[in-house]
Amino acid sequence: MDVTRNPDGSHNPPYDPNWPPHLEVQWSAGVAACETGLRIHVIDLGDDKYAVHVGSSGQSPMDRASVYAFLDGVQTGVREARR
């Protein structure tokens, strides 16, 4: 999912709490990509498992909680590297 950042800090498309879990994961990855400038791609492997690729490296399979923790770590790492 392509996500962009608006001047007010919100994201487009905005988060929709009615999305199914795989769209929530894709949106979160899109936000992380937007915030970090990295190319992040999520593949739904089915059975609530995902593969996450950042650039040319990837992590697989991961459950939803692990995906969110991984994306948080990516964003934290980029923030620290920019200091």
Side-chain angles (χ1 to χ4, degrees), residues 11 14 17 20 39-40 48 52-53 79:
H11 293 93
R39 199 176 110 246
I40 301 173
D48 207 30
V52 180
H53 295 269
R79 278 193 296 268

Side-chain angles (χ1 to χ4, degrees), residues 2-80:
D2 291 328
V3 178
T4 57
R5 186 172 182 178
N6 299 318
D8 66 0
S10 64
H11 293 93
N12 188 37
Y15 176 75
D16 183 341
N18 296 314
W19 280 335
H22 73 277
L23 286 183
E24 292 178 10
V25 168
Q26 289 179 351
W27 183 84
S28 297
V31 168
C34 179
E35 298 298 322
T36 63
L38 297 171
R39 199 176 110 246
I40 301 173
H41 182 65
V42 174
I43 301 168
D44 184 354
L45 301 174
D47 200 29
D48 207 30
K49 299 288 183 200
Y50 303 89
V52 180
H53 295 269
V54 179
S56 60
S57 62
Q59 299 287 326
S60 173
M62 299 188 331
D63 60 23
R64 242 181 308 147
S66 297
V67 170
Y68 293 131
F70 179 76
L71 293 173
D72 286 345
V74 167
Q75 291 183 81
T76 299
V78 168
R79 278 193 296 268
E80 291 298 316

